[in-house]
Amino acid sequence: MENGKRTLILDLHRIGALKFGEFKLKSGATSPFYIDLRSIISYPEIIRNIVQLLKTALADKQFDVITGIPYTALPLAAQVSVELDAPLVYQRKEVKAYGTGKLIEGHFEEGQTCLIIDDLITTGESKFEAAEGMERAGLTVVDFVCLIDRSYNGQEILASKGYKLSSIITVEDMLSVLGEQKLLDDKLAQKVRDFVNQPVEKPHLKFSDRLAVTTAPMTQKLMETILRKQSNLVLSLDVEDTATFFDILEKTGPEIFMVKTHIDIIKDFRGDFIPRLRGLAKKHDFIIFEDRKFADIGSTVRKQFRSGVYKIADWAEYVTVHMIAGEAILDGLFGELEVPRSGFLLARMSAKGNLISETYTRQVLEIGKRRKECVSGYIGHGADVDDIKRFRNKIPQDQLLLMPGVNLDSKGDGLGQQYLTVEDAITGGADAIIVGRGIVASKDPAAAAKRYRTAAWQAFKRVSDE
Ligand code: 5BU
């Protein structure tokens, strides 16, 4: 190993930036080590060394401008920028409400390539967010250079979205240098190695265990129903006439734990529709979920939910909600309501080219986690199993992930729908699947419902030991 790297590892250890012990991580896992590089800015000799190492790492890369992800890597990128004569740009954490309102500060031309420097890589999440901001501003991102790679498979994660990752030191480098210098004993080193060598994913827990940590009654109810029915299948019953609706629901009711309606597509909706729906829900023990996708300001959604022809709040225990209008929509919907109701937030969509960004998804999850009393979970999707896993890891065990866009026989519908298989959806981390045409458009909806139910429940049992 090059001297500069060795010196860096020893310096970081000396200033307490590399710590060993027991640390609770944001994900809930307990790590035997912790890396915190925030204080390095106060040690000019360390920065000087890092800048040299970064310069070497950047030597074979093509780029027009560089950036560092705030806060830790931004001063590093600034130094490298001066040393290499490469213009620096940076992305604001918050867009200013006044002045220019720009997201990216600094001068650049659309189409230029931006190299991104960061201090650490763990899950790759913040790298995707940074790349997304740069790309939205018209820059192209190819390379990431990180000081320390503490990930399980960071290179692969970034490669899955077409990016390249180089890092200066790995966890293995740290362990070997500290071990040589007798600054770390072999047992602890092995513990660190084992921790890093496990994929960053939480195990899929059984509903029976999750119920113990779930306090919101409306979320408990979902888990209890899934367990009682031994089904994690939601039927999306998007048909236009009442007779077909009830015909399919009568046949498929025994297989599902929840029916999802789009009540406004029923052509011949009459006053007896809801009592019939309630009757079947009771008979077959399933829950009623209206996919209304509320999206307006609090005061409007309150009326849309409680009034009008459908009076959705009277009969739909769960509804879907877009968070585009902000957190107050939850107060509009669920505040001062006499009956218990809860929402599923749209965190990601299955439609091709949808405008939901990684940042938006993260913000939706942040709001949802604060509002567990009225948010039972999220509607989400993903490109593949790994993509879903990364998303799922951010969802707490006392909320659910429901996944639409699932079909065993089709990849899409020619109108933008993109399908996953049941296996991929559940292995990735969906708690339940939402299936529409896979069942409704089949010649034998009852048999199709049984097929989806069995596939989803078997897959769930396998990944969770339920
Ligand atoms: P399908 O027939 O299985 O494609 O129906 C899927 C249902 O899920 C349909 O009611 C959509 O409105 C709903 N859906 C979806 O497909 N994708 C999404 O991202 C969201 C909802 Br949100």
Side-chain angles (χ1 to χ4, degrees), residues 150-263:
R150 56 153 301 167
S151 70
Y152 168 67
N153 60 345
Q155 250 169 358
E156 267 172 53
I157 293 175
L158 292 195
S160 73
K161 296 214 176 169
Y163 304 118
K164 287 191 272 187
L165 169 72
S166 333
S167 34
I168 307 220
I169 51 184
T170 62
V171 169
E172 206 45 61
D173 294 336
M174 283 167 25
L175 298 180
S176 90
V177 170
L178 298 177
E180 265 167 39
Q181 301 292 318
K182 306 267 181 277
L183 292 166
L184 187 69
D185 68 58
D186 289 350
K187 239 171 103 188
L188 190 50
Q190 191 53 42
K191 244 174 124 175
V192 172
R193 205 169 277 124
D194 292 344
F195 183 81
V196 174
N197 288 338
Q198 66 187 357
V200 270
E201 67 185 75
K202 277 193 233 144
H204 226 316
L205 296 184
K206 304 178 196 187
F207 281 119
S208 26
D209 291 339
R210 288 166 66 183
L211 259 170
V213 295
T214 304
T215 51
M218 289 302 281
T219 313
Q220 287 172 344
K221 176 170 180 162
L222 289 160
M223 294 183 184
E224 283 161 359
T225 309
I226 290 174
L227 278 175
R228 197 167 56 240
K229 282 210 82 171
Q230 301 274 292
S231 165
N232 56 344
L233 174 63
V234 181
L235 171 66
S236 177
L237 194 37
D238 303 335
V239 294
E240 292 160 51
D241 69 279
T242 301
T244 316
F245 183 97
F246 286 109
D247 178 45
I248 296 178
L249 194 54
E250 175 66 77
K251 292 180 183 142
T252 54
E255 310 296 338
I256 63 177
F257 83 97
M258 184 149 81
V259 65
K260 182 174 84 62
T261 56
H262 278 296
I263 200 67

Side-chain angles (χ1 to χ4, degrees), residues 236 238 260 262 293 346 349-350 379 404 417 419 436-437:
S236 177
D238 303 335
K260 182 174 84 62
H262 278 296
K293 297 189 176 70
L346 291 120
M349 289 192 73
S350 65
I379 308 289
Q417 178 67 299
Y419 286 124
R437 284 162 289 181

Side-chain angles (χ1 to χ4, degrees), residues 236-238 260-262 265 291 293 320 322 345-351 354 356 379-381 403-407 413 417-419 434-441:
S236 177
L237 194 37
D238 303 335
K260 182 174 84 62
T261 56
H262 278 296
I265 64 183
D291 193 3
K293 297 189 176 70
T320 43
H322 272 300
L345 309 186
L346 291 120
R348 276 178 162 203
M349 289 192 73
S350 65
N354 73 80
I356 291 182
I379 308 289
H381 205 255
M403 196 159 294
V406 175
N407 197 302
D413 65 359
Q417 178 67 299
Q418 308 178 106
Y419 286 124
I434 300 177
V435 181
R437 284 162 289 181
I439 295 171
V440 173

